Every structure is written in structure tokens, then in C-alpha cells.
Amino acid sequence: MFPLNLACISPHIEGGIAALKFKTIERLCPKLPPSFFKEVLSAALTTIGITVISGVCYLTLCQAHLIFAYEGDIDPVNHLAFKSKTQTVSKEEMELAEFYRWKTNTDIKYKGRLISRPARGIVHVKMTKWVNNRPVKINVVEINKKANSKLEIKPKTASANYLNTKASIRNIANSENSIIAINGGYFKPQTGTPLGTLVIDKNVLTGPIYNRVALGINPDNTFSMDKSTIDITIKGKKYEIKADNINQPRMLSTYTLIYTDKWGKFAPSAPKYGMALAIQDGEIVNFNFGSVEIPKGGFAIVGPKQKLEPFLKEKKINMDIEFTEAFKNSEHIIGGGPYLIKNGEMYVDMIEQKFGAINGKNPRTAIGYTENNELIIVTVDGREEASVGMTLWEISRLMKELGCIYAMNLDGGGSSVIYVNGKIENNPAYKEGIAISNAIVVNENAPETIANN
């Protein structure tokens, strides 16, 4: 070993505290030679120096080579920091790190509440809040797809074949083995036809009503929310027109409407002075001044005769559909309304979106997303002593408290129902909830091998 001179450690030690301590020892042990004390200190400092250097080397090796790291209960988030620049972080490691970060946050966020985790990336919370000294029972589900890319969030209709169908939320969820399901947008009670925007897998099923707000579900684990408008162009080689909507009830006799085979076997009858065209593979296969059969895989155009008759001279007819810029990349879109949160602030535009009759204390279903694109879905029980329901402004405040930067109302009242892992978790007015037209479901595409907790 090499001796360390005192000057190597500090130029001030010899005349400072160390010197004072040596003088004290010299008084107690006068027979020991003076060189003895310097040799003892040198040996002690040598030992300390080796220990420090060894520690630095060990830490360096831990960072450069994972094999030297402690293989006990490592925090996956910090564990990734030990990866060297030459090593790649796997998708699974990134998701696991995100899961633990988000789990810590949600444990704090929902502390004191009844929490369950049906799958990695999903947390279900039950709580009771007191609003104006009245109880409100609430179910919250928060979903983080960045923590589990196997999760899929999308709207689901009661039937894969036709829009004018209703089913219980349990049946809708069971059809895809869903983990989570909540009731979706508004629908016509008599038939089940959705009222408002509904797009599944980029297939436009229905268009917007009153340009109400809609939620877009995007392939990059993000969400978007905006007023929903639709631009439908029907064009031949020399002639084109704009259609007003797709698979929606007629509001004005002057409207030109598109009906696909999801609507049913026949298109609604044309209005007075109107006509209907049946299009298949870009060609007119039938026309009538009343109703026409909708070709399988095709569509029907129903509107004023003066608008549609020029198409009889066209050999090829195509249809283009575009939505608002906010939904340009969305795979799925579901309409609701009114807004509850907009740009991080409470915002309820029920008059503008023609929702004047739904503002009392009622059962509610709402959906929104946070700045980190965690999806928040909420149901509120109402119309009972144990839970009086919420107004639109009250549920707006709740969505803000839960961290939403955008949120909107979904169909409520008797439709409000939430399904988690095979069980109806809220208390709807009718057992299992009423039959509904559409829902939002959360599926896991493959078995998960990593523990949820």
C-alpha cells in the first residue's frame, strides 16, 4: 500500500484540528515517538481513501453494467436510469415504468377511497361525496393506455349489423369480453338509433346533431374533444352536391341524407318532391320517388328531386366524408354533450347545444381526459335518498377535481350504468340498467402476464 501524506488530504489539517488531537495524545502518551502519530494517521487515511475509491468504482460499474446492480425490489422508474446509452429500453420496460409512476399518483389521488385495479393501466374507485349536505354515490374509472398498450378503448353498438337495436350493457360488454363498459351517447328510445356522431374503426355510422361535442379516440394513445361537424360530398364526373347528414332522422324536407346498410334494409321515404337513389360499387342500381332498398355494402341518397336527378346521367358516383380537424386522425368518435370542461376550465354550454331540459339533479355519465391523456369515466347515481344525483355544473366541478382538461356529458338518467369485470357497479333505476343503443368499452387484447399491483 502507498502512504498518504497529510498534505494530500488538506494543507490545513496538520496545523488544525488533527494537530490539536495529536498534541492531546502526546501528553497522555509521552513515551511514544512523534513519528508514531503520523504513521497511524497515514494508515487511517489510506484505508479511508481505498474505501472511497472502491465505492466510486462500484457505483460506476452499477451504472455501466446492470449485472452489478442489486437484483432485489428495484423501482422500475429509477431502474431505467441505470441503463447505459448503448442499451435500448424495451417497450415492456417503458410501460412498466409508466405503470408504477401512475399507480403511485393514483394511490395518492384516491387515498381513502375504495380502490380496485381490474387490469394493469385501469383503476376503479368508489366514493360518496356530499353536495349541499346531500349524498352522491360516484364510480370513477381511470385508464392509462401508456401503462398497458394492450388496452383498447372504443365505442360499441348493441348490434354489429343494424343501428336500430338495443341491448343491456352486460350483453354489449360480453360480446367482446370487455373489462369496462359504460353507456355511450344519446339514442332514439323507440328504435335505438344513435343520435349524434358515432365512428368505429374509421367507419362513419352516424353524423352529428346540432354540431354537439364529441370525443375522439386516437391511435397514438391521445384523445381529442371538439364540436362535431361533418362535410359529406357526393360527386360524379360532372356533378356534385353536399349531403347534410348520414344515418340520422330527417329534420328538414330540404335535407339530402345518406343511409348505409347499417340503417336497415330500406331507406326512409323521400320527402314531397323528392327522390331516392340506391348506389352500389359507385353505380346507381335503383331509384324511386318513395323509398329504395339499401344495397349491401352500398348506400342510398334521399333528398329533393331537383338535387338528385342530375346524378342519373353520371356513370360513377363517389362519396367523401370529412370531420372537424380535431378528429382528422381519430379511429373512433362518439358524440355526447354538453361540454363539462373546456381548456381546463368548467364550461357547460347546454343552451347552445340544445340541452335545456337536462340540467336538474339526475343520474349522470361523463367522460374526459387529463393533460397526460389518462381517460376518466364517471357515473353518478341519482333519484334516490342514498344518492341524489348531480346537476351539469356539479358534475363539471367533479370532472375538474379529477384532473380533466376536457370533459363532456354522455347520456344519463336511466341509461347511466357502469360495468366493471363482470359486475354492474352503480345502482341504476332499473336492475342492470335499461337497454341502450351504444356503449364505450375497454378491452385487453391479450392475457397480461405482469402483476397488477
Side-chain angles (χ1 to χ4, degrees):
M1 291 297 177
F2 55 90
L4 292 178
N5 190 287
L6 289 177
C8 294
I9 305 301
S10 169
H12 307 292
I13 288 180
E14 195 163 6
I17 296 172
L20 289 172
K21 289 187 176 181
F22 279 124
K23 287 180 180 179
T24 303
I25 296 173
E26 284 174 342
R27 292 193 195 101
L28 296 173
C29 307
K31 294 183 178 181
L32 293 174
S35 60
F36 171 80
F37 301 103
K38 288 190 178 183
E39 290 174 2
V40 170
L41 179 60
S42 178
L45 292 175
T46 299
T47 303
I48 294 169
I50 292 169
T51 303
V52 171
I53 293 168
S54 299
V56 171
C57 293
Y58 173 75
L59 289 175
T60 303
L61 285 171
C62 284
Q63 292 182 0
H65 304 282
L66 287 179
I67 194 170
F68 286 96
Y70 172 64
E71 296 182 358
D73 187 14
I74 300 172
D75 179 357
V77 180
N78 294 328
H79 174 73
L80 293 182
F82 281 91
K83 290 259 185 179
S84 70
K85 292 182 179 179
T86 59
Q87 292 175 302
T88 57
V89 179
S90 71
K91 179 181 177 182
E92 181 65 19
E93 285 178 312
M94 291 295 292
E95 289 186 10
L96 189 57
E98 172 63 19
F99 168 69
Y100 276 96
R101 179 204 66 79
W102 174 74
K103 182 180 183 298
T104 299
N105 289 349
T106 51
D107 282 344
I108 296 170
K109 180 177 179 179
Y110 300 113
K111 185 178 180 181
R113 311 294 188 183
L114 185 61
I115 299 177
S116 65
R117 297 186 182 274
R120 197 176 86 189
I122 302 176
V123 61
H124 171 224
V125 184
K126 296 179 76 73
M127 65 177 79
T128 299
K129 286 180 71 74
W130 290 82
V131 181
N132 297 325
N133 296 319
R134 303 293 300 278
V136 181
K137 291 183 178 179
I138 301 165
N139 278 271
V140 179
V141 170
E142 187 168 325
I143 304 159
N144 184 350
K145 280 193 68 178
K146 296 187 294 297
N148 185 358
S149 60
K150 295 170 186 174
L151 296 177
E152 180 186 36
I153 306 164
K154 67 177 185 179
K156 180 80 171 65
T157 53
S159 167
N161 299 317
Y162 297 111
L163 295 171
N164 57 347
T165 308
K166 296 183 290 183
S168 71
I169 198 162
R170 181 180 294 280
N171 287 340
I172 294 174
N174 286 345
S175 68
E176 293 211 1
N177 197 27
S178 300
I179 303 168
I180 305 291
I182 59 162
N183 64 288
Y186 301 95
F187 59 93
K188 194 170 183 178
Q190 297 86 347
T191 63
T193 302
L195 297 175
T197 303
L198 187 60
V199 177
I200 301 177
D201 295 323
K202 291 188 176 286
N203 182 24
V204 181
L205 300 180
T206 54
I209 290 181
Y210 303 124
N211 296 334
R212 286 172 175 166
V213 63
L215 171 76
I217 302 170
N218 308 320
D220 60 351
N221 294 336
T222 64
F223 304 94
S224 48
M225 191 172 288
D226 199 358
K227 293 286 190 68
S228 178
T229 60
I230 195 169
D231 186 355
I232 306 172
T233 306
I234 308 297
K235 54 186 177 182
K237 188 174 182 180
K238 297 181 179 179
Y239 181 70
E240 68 177 51
I241 63 169
K242 294 288 186 182
D244 295 283
N245 218 328
I246 180 168
N247 288 336
Q248 291 292 346
R250 179 174 295 279
M251 292 187 177
L252 295 174
S253 62
T254 55
Y255 275 8
T256 299
L257 300 174
I258 305 298
Y259 294 97
T260 70
D261 58 0
K262 295 291 185 184
W263 176 266
K265 190 172 182 181
F266 291 92
S269 294
K272 190 177 182 181
Y273 308 117
M275 72 181 299
L277 307 177
I279 314 294
Q280 188 172 38
D281 297 327
E283 296 181 357
I284 298 175
V285 295
N286 191 14
F287 72 92
N288 202 323
F289 298 102
S291 179
V292 292
E293 186 174 347
I294 304 172
K296 194 68 178 173
F299 60 94
I301 314 172
V302 183
K305 177 183 174 183
Q306 63 179 10
K307 281 188 175 182
L308 301 188
E309 203 166 32
F311 280 119
L312 295 176
K313 299 177 183 179
E314 295 285 351
K315 292 184 178 180
K316 271 293 183 187
I317 297 173
N318 297 310
M319 176 172 62
D320 292 332
I321 302 177
E322 291 186 2
F323 278 94
T324 319
E325 182 67 21
F327 307 120
K328 186 176 181 180
N329 298 317
S330 298
E331 286 185 323
H332 317 291
I333 310 171
I334 186 165
Y339 265 115
L340 296 175
I341 303 290
K342 185 178 181 181
N343 292 322
E345 299 298 330
M346 293 172 61
Y347 181 81
V348 180
D349 56 343
M350 57 185 172
I351 303 301
E352 183 182 349
Q353 294 195 38
K354 302 188 186 325
F355 281 114
I358 66 168
N359 191 38
K361 283 185 178 289
N362 288 298
R364 300 282 180 192
T365 303
I367 191 165
Y369 56 95
T370 69
E371 191 171 7
N372 292 323
N373 281 289
E374 292 116 354
L375 190 71
I376 308 283
I377 58 178
V378 170
T379 59
V380 170
D381 288 346
R383 300 174 185 169
E384 56 179 294
E385 282 299 316
S387 183
V388 297
M390 282 185 167
T391 67
L392 288 170
W393 280 103
E394 286 168 349
I395 197 167
S396 170
R397 184 179 301 280
L398 173 63
M399 297 304 280
K400 184 173 175 61
E401 289 172 355
L402 292 172
C404 292
I405 58 169
Y406 281 89
M408 70 179 190
N409 194 55
L410 289 170
D411 194 11
S415 298
S416 283
V417 60
I418 185 166
Y419 168 102
V420 180
N421 256 2
K423 182 182 177 184
I424 305 299
E425 288 288 352
N426 68 324
N427 188 30
Y430 299 91
K431 186 179 180 181
E432 298 274 305
I434 65 171
I436 57 176
S437 158
N438 60 90
I440 298 173
V441 299
V442 183
N443 309 321
E444 194 168 30
N445 293 329
E448 187 56 68
T449 58
I450 295 177
N452 298 329
N453 294 304

